[in-house]
Amino acid sequence: MMNKTYLTLLCRVISIISVMLITACAVQEKEISPADVLFQQGYNALANKKYFTAAETFNLIEQNYPYSPFTPQAILLAAYAQYQRNDYKATFEKLDIYSKNYPASNKIPYVIYLYGLSYYEQISDISRDQGYTKDARDSFERLINEYPQSVYAQDARVKLLLINDSLAGKELAIGRYYQTRKLCSAAIRRFKFVIENYETTAHAPEALHRTVECYLTIALPDEAKTYAAILGHNYPGSYWYQQSYQLMQDYQ
């Protein structure tokens, strides 16, 4: 026969299991709010800058109502909410889902723009790797080329100018590094890259001047004269032309 202690223990175990089963059933039976209600809740959270709550609420729509008319917009708003949280990985995941499932959507320009913004926000100073800078440039260039009339294209153009300035600054910094170590051929390649690819940036005049300096360092005055003339033609009143002009005078 079973003793009283064993029976008491068995009864407690059964009781605990019963409570767990009842709780599980209650959770399972708990209804998810309709898609339109969830969408309004998510939108309200977004308006109140409760971005984590907004993202989680929009995710519920995607998970529970994949064919709802609210789902595409919910995915985009979840991406935006994550962007506001600086959670760029989650932002990219949502944008990837949207691009894959709705490639013909008229919201694709916004998707490309948000890709670009997410990369743009991660751009660091010019002394660091410029991977995000190039990714942002590629996104904004795609937006401008494929959707030039988009409401987002103008801002993309402005940011592209800043991006090109950052990339030019990086190339110029590397060129100066080579120059200080008397590696003039390597430096000239970097400076010419700036001149040829980022001629509209503020770094172009200095790149021309540094090229003049390098050619004089390796005793190629004719080449130096050519780049000094280009500098004088395009930036006649600039500080960098004055420096190159003085160098050429002193070299003679």
Side-chain angles (χ1 to χ4, degrees), residues 72-73 76 94-116 139 142-144 146-147 150-152:
Q73 187 67 6
L76 273 187
K94 291 301 174 185
L95 293 177
D96 288 345
I97 290 172
Y98 191 92
S99 300
K100 179 180 178 180
N101 293 332
Y102 311 102
S105 169
N106 61 2
K107 300 293 180 63
I108 291 298
Y110 175 74
V111 171
I112 300 171
Y113 179 64
L114 195 53
Y115 270 119
S139 294
R142 180 189 171 194
L143 175 61
I144 293 167
E146 296 184 13
Y147 304 96
S150 165
V151 294
Y152 309 106

Side-chain angles (χ1 to χ4, degrees), residues 211-212 215-216 218-229 248 251:
T211 304
V212 172
Y215 274 129
L216 290 180
I218 57 177
L220 292 174
D222 290 341
E223 285 79 356
K225 184 177 180 180
T226 297
Y227 280 89
M248 295 304 300
Y251 190 84

Side-chain angles (χ1 to χ4, degrees), residues 122-133 163 165-177 190 203:
Q122 298 179 80
I123 294 175
S124 56
D125 61 75
I126 63 171
S127 65
R128 302 194 175 202
D129 178 73
Q130 296 294 293
Y132 288 128
T133 309
I163 287 170
D165 191 75
S166 178
L167 290 171
K170 177 69 173 182
E171 292 294 328
L172 190 62
I174 294 172
R176 287 197 298 261
Y177 173 84
R190 293 289 183 166
H203 299 289

Side-chain angles (χ1 to χ4, degrees), residues 32-157:
I32 300 294
S33 298
D36 60 332
V37 174
L38 287 173
F39 188 86
Q40 189 60 53
Q41 291 173 349
Y43 193 84
N44 291 341
L46 199 62
N48 289 307
K49 299 183 179 180
K50 297 179 179 179
Y51 299 121
F52 178 80
T53 300
E56 291 299 302
T57 304
F58 290 131
N59 286 341
L60 286 175
I61 298 175
E62 180 190 352
Q63 294 163 5
N64 294 279
Y65 304 100
Y67 304 109
S68 166
F70 292 96
T71 300
Q73 187 67 6
I75 295 172
L76 273 187
L77 290 178
Y80 176 73
Q82 299 290 19
Y83 164 77
Q84 290 292 347
R85 296 182 63 238
N86 299 326
D87 189 343
Y88 302 114
K89 180 180 179 181
T91 301
F92 292 139
E93 288 174 353
K94 291 301 174 185
L95 293 177
D96 288 345
I97 290 172
Y98 191 92
S99 300
K100 179 180 178 180
N101 293 332
Y102 311 102
S105 169
N106 61 2
K107 300 293 180 63
I108 291 298
Y110 175 74
V111 171
I112 300 171
Y113 179 64
L114 195 53
Y115 270 119
L117 281 181
S118 297
Y119 287 124
Y120 186 81
E121 295 294 338
Q122 298 179 80
I123 294 175
S124 56
D125 61 75
I126 63 171
S127 65
R128 302 194 175 202
D129 178 73
Q130 296 294 293
Y132 288 128
T133 309
K134 294 175 182 177
D135 289 334
R137 178 193 62 188
D138 292 345
S139 294
F140 289 137
E141 285 183 344
R142 180 189 171 194
L143 175 61
I144 293 167
N145 292 332
E146 296 184 13
Y147 304 96
Q149 303 305 317
S150 165
V151 294
Y152 309 106
Q154 182 57 41
D155 188 55
R157 292 186 182 95

